[in-house]
Amino acid sequence: MEYRVCDNGIEIFDDVDFCPRHIFECGQIFSYREQPSENGETWTVLSGDRKAVLERRRAGFFIVTDSPEYFERFFDLETDYGAIKSELSAFDILKAPISFGYGIRILKQQLFETLISFIVSANNNIKRIRLILDRLRDGYGADMGGYHAFPTRERLLRVTESEFAALGAGYRDKYLYRTVRQADEETLALWSALPTVELRKRLLDLSGVGPKVADCILLFGFGRGDVFPVDTWIEKMYRKFYGDTSDIGREKIRQKLTDIFGELSGFAQQYLFYYMRSGADD
DNA sequence: TACCAGGCCCCTA
DNA sequence: TAGGGGCATGGT
């Protein structure tokens, strides 16, 4: 994909392998907003303490930001999604989902933010996840002038269980309280050197992190493509597409799907998730 | 008004 | 090791 990094942002000369709506609404991130604008769509996205605004251009987009290099990595611009889609299109099950979510890119998000966000995501709906995480940013994140940074672990150490509950986190309050004490940004960064299987074990030791949440952190934070998060939507998809009416559990579904898609599991999963959740499979 | 949501924890057997 | 009840709360 053709793009150019400049002082005040990034020019994207493509609207096929890069679509903000697909990227943001496919469920991998919660801190974004669409604004009505004259020339179509404008999006704001926050990552850690940084911000970017995406504006429509004639044949692509312009990403306005003070941190172009950061967002070049964040949007995974160096990866050839055309090649990934081409390879995955060999699977019948993915033809329609890829056609539907053609502009998806897997974001490379902050580790601590991804950890906290996906603990909140468990057994929750996306609108409420966004609500809770917005409150977390506004309540405990540094004021960056117009928006709040994602809170640091240092700051969250001073948040009580009942304060987490007051954000609307419900019974996840204790998971958040415990995990903030179990994991810090530096340790998570060190874990980046571990192979996926070992790294997954470390994540599963954290409170509120089960198989599905661990796989999301591996995919959206650590950039591991060899994981396939299985949630309620993927389970529905699996049962429907493969006509499986047995009592197969999510762990076995996960094993089957990672066997099928290998190193591209995470990408396949994201096209399928977006397709299913949008109700486009009817 | 029920049922559901990008599930996890913890107790049984 | 596997299975299942319980769980906060907002969306639909």
Side-chain angles (χ1 to χ4, degrees):
Chain A
M1 186 181 72
E2 197 182 342
Y3 69 95
R4 187 168 67 88
V5 177
C6 41
D7 289 344
N8 62 334
I10 307 170
E11 279 186 86
I12 308 280
F13 305 102
D14 191 314
D15 53 10
V16 174
D17 290 348
F18 187 101
C19 173
R21 182 177 304 284
H22 296 171
I23 293 169
F24 297 136
E25 296 194 336
C26 73
Q28 59 180 325
I29 187 166
F30 307 103
S31 55
Y32 68 90
R33 188 170 308 168
E34 181 181 15
Q35 287 129 350
S37 74
E38 292 177 3
N39 54 346
E41 41 186 334
T42 299
W43 301 79
T44 300
V45 61
L46 304 179
S47 174
D49 60 358
R50 301 165 194 267
K51 171 184 168 183
V53 176
L54 289 76
E55 298 172 350
R56 194 78 169 93
R57 288 289 191 270
R58 195 169 313 162
F61 295 87
F62 192 82
I63 304 173
V64 185
T65 175
D66 293 337
S67 314
E69 287 81 10
Y70 176 83
F71 282 100
E72 180 184 18
R73 178 176 183 279
F74 180 80
F75 285 108
D76 198 20
L77 296 183
E78 292 186 329
T79 296
D80 183 355
Y81 279 72
I84 291 172
K85 287 184 284 184
S86 171
E87 187 171 344
L88 287 177
S89 290
F91 297 94
D92 282 344
I93 191 175
L94 290 177
K95 291 188 194 304
I98 288 174
S99 169
F100 180 78
Y102 58 84
I104 288 176
R105 310 182 74 83
I106 305 289
L107 300 173
K108 294 193 186 300
Q109 305 186 55
Q110 296 285 307
L111 299 177
F112 185 70
E113 178 173 6
T114 308
L115 169 62
I116 298 299
S117 298
F118 279 89
I119 288 175
V120 170
S121 81
N123 194 28
N124 210 339
N125 63 66
I126 289 181
K127 283 195 175 176
R128 192 161 78 101
I129 298 164
R130 297 182 57 186
L131 184 69
I132 296 165
L133 292 173
D134 282 349
R135 290 179 186 149
L136 187 71
R137 270 185 180 272
D138 293 343
Y140 305 110
D143 186 351
M144 305 300 291
Y147 68 98
H148 290 263
F150 194 85
T152 61
R153 184 248 185 176
E154 179 70 26
R155 178 66 187 89
L156 292 186
L157 280 171
R158 290 184 280 119
V159 177
T160 64
E161 259 188 50
S162 56
E163 285 172 328
F164 281 125
L167 298 173
Y171 59 82
R172 305 168 195 80
D173 56 355
K174 59 183 72 66
Y175 305 156
L176 293 169
Y177 183 85
R178 292 176 196 156
T179 286
V180 164
R181 279 155 186 76
Q182 287 177 282
D184 61 80
E185 290 94 339
E186 294 73 20
T187 303
L188 292 172
L190 288 175
W191 288 358
S192 300
L194 296 171
T196 300
V197 173
E198 187 57 35
L199 176 50
R200 192 166 189 272
K201 286 180 187 168
R202 306 287 179 101
L203 291 172
L204 288 172
D205 282 338
L206 302 174
S207 181
V209 179
K212 190 283 180 174
V213 169
D215 286 339
C216 282
I217 299 166
L218 285 164
L219 179 56
F220 305 132
F222 290 94
R224 303 301 170 96
D226 54 340
V227 296
F228 203 113
V230 179
D231 71 333
T232 176
W233 295 102
I234 293 296
E235 184 177 348
K236 280 178 197 166
M237 177 281 300
Y238 177 85
R239 292 183 185 284
K240 179 175 177 179
F241 188 85
Y242 293 100
D244 193 334
T245 55
S246 73
D247 59 350
I248 185 172
R250 289 189 183 182
E251 172 58 21
K252 286 194 174 176
I253 293 176
R254 182 181 79 85
Q255 289 171 12
K256 285 196 173 188
L257 292 170
T258 49
D259 282 348
I260 294 171
F261 297 107
E263 296 294 317
L264 295 181
S265 290
F267 299 91
Q269 192 272 358
Q270 212 46 27
Y271 292 114
L272 285 164
F273 174 82
Y274 185 48
Y275 186 67
M276 289 300 294
R277 201 179 73 84
S278 302
D281 61 307
D282 293 329

